[in-house]
Amino acid sequence: MVVKFPFKSVSGSKIIPAVVSVMGFLVLSACAQAPTPQGIYDPDEVQNRGVHQFNLALDRGLVGPGASGYGNFVPKPVQQGISNVAGTLDLPGDIANNILQFRLGNAAHNTLRLAVNLTAGVGGLFDPATVLGVTEKKTDFGETLHVWGAEEGAYVELPVIGPSTTRDTVGTLVDVALNPLRFILPSPESTYATLAKGASRLGDRNRYSDTLDSILYDSADSYAQARLLYLQNRRFELGQDSPPDDSAFYDPYEDPYGQ
């Protein structure tokens, strides 16, 4: 059985019922196979393009300059340490999704990585796990929904967060709401964790600035270009498509919570 989302757009009044519906269908669709998406389904393109213009203005006025300043003034070792901490903070969510996907080998792998970096890596400041060959196996609840048979749905561009699909929008909401760190870290440590993830995203934006600026500001149609690259990369990550032409594509509006 294939899970079909009971909504077309991503308005707030429809997202929450969709989350509940999807969660209810998970048990019933455990053995389902998500259909391979064909082409681009973008029924709300006019609305999405309006959001894209807002995101471009946000990147031009805030995210881009902030990333440039971060890259120029924060020492590289400090940037790497922050990136390491942010990656370690993502691991509990990855492990939870590994378990929901019944990928217990990946769950054990990420658990070992978490243990090594928390201990030998001084709380995640360093990354000895990668040196030992225990590399990161990232995932998210959007992939969990894919594994459980949920369709990709329509393409969506979300304010601040950026390119997504209806399935991945639900996944992002669930990842943020159910992030284990929300229940583990007290205040102000939880605030520090959020700041570390935000700073790490600025570092990523700076690292891929040439590619991103070319896509966002040099393309004849930056919306269509970003949409195509996002869908190609996402489908490739899920094993549904061949490698995209530009594997270095990074979403500048990626969720600041790192989901």
Side-chain angles (χ1 to χ4, degrees), residues 207-216 229 246 248-250:
R207 186 175 304 113
Y208 299 115
S209 61
D210 289 343
T211 298
L212 284 168
D213 289 345
S214 175
I215 294 169
L216 297 178
L229 288 173
D246 191 349
F249 174 70
Y250 169 79

Side-chain angles (χ1 to χ4, degrees), residues 31 33 44 50 67 91 99 132 169 187:
C31 298
Q33 179 68 39
D44 298 316
L91 284 169
I99 294 172
L132 296 174
T169 298
S187 180

Side-chain angles (χ1 to χ4, degrees), residues 12 80 84 92-93 100 106 110 139 172 178 204 206 221 226:
Q80 186 60 57
N84 290 341
L100 289 173
N106 285 354
N110 279 331
T139 187
T172 296
L178 301 183
D204 291 339
N206 181 66
D221 187 343

Side-chain angles (χ1 to χ4, degrees), residues 234-252:
R234 186 56 169 166
R235 291 169 183 176
F236 175 64
E237 289 174 353
L238 300 179
Q240 296 181 306
D241 205 349
S242 58
D245 294 333
D246 191 349
S247 59
F249 174 70
Y250 169 79
D251 174 12

Side-chain angles (χ1 to χ4, degrees), residues 74-190:
V74 177
K76 297 298 182 184
V78 175
Q79 291 185 43
Q80 186 60 57
I82 292 174
S83 179
N84 290 341
V85 169
T88 299
L89 292 171
D90 284 341
L91 284 169
D94 292 339
I95 295 166
N97 277 299
N98 290 149
I99 294 172
L100 289 173
Q101 296 162 11
F102 297 104
R103 293 171 174 169
L104 302 185
N106 285 354
H109 179 100
N110 279 331
T111 300
L112 176 59
R113 178 178 173 81
L114 177 63
V116 170
N117 282 353
L118 284 178
T119 54
V122 193
L125 189 61
F126 303 100
D127 185 13
T130 294
V131 177
L132 296 174
V134 188
T135 56
E136 187 177 28
K137 292 184 180 291
K138 285 193 67 63
T139 187
D140 52 58
F141 196 75
E143 182 172 5
T144 297
L145 291 174
H146 161 73
V147 170
W148 286 70
E151 292 183 350
E152 178 180 85
Y155 175 78
V156 179
E157 179 147 351
L158 302 173
V160 182
I161 294 175
S164 186
T165 61
T166 49
R167 178 181 62 203
D168 286 341
T169 298
V170 173
T172 296
L173 291 172
V174 173
D175 276 326
V176 172
L178 301 183
N179 187 339
L181 294 179
R182 287 168 55 89
F183 309 102
I184 296 174
L185 292 180
S187 180
E189 284 80 0
S190 59

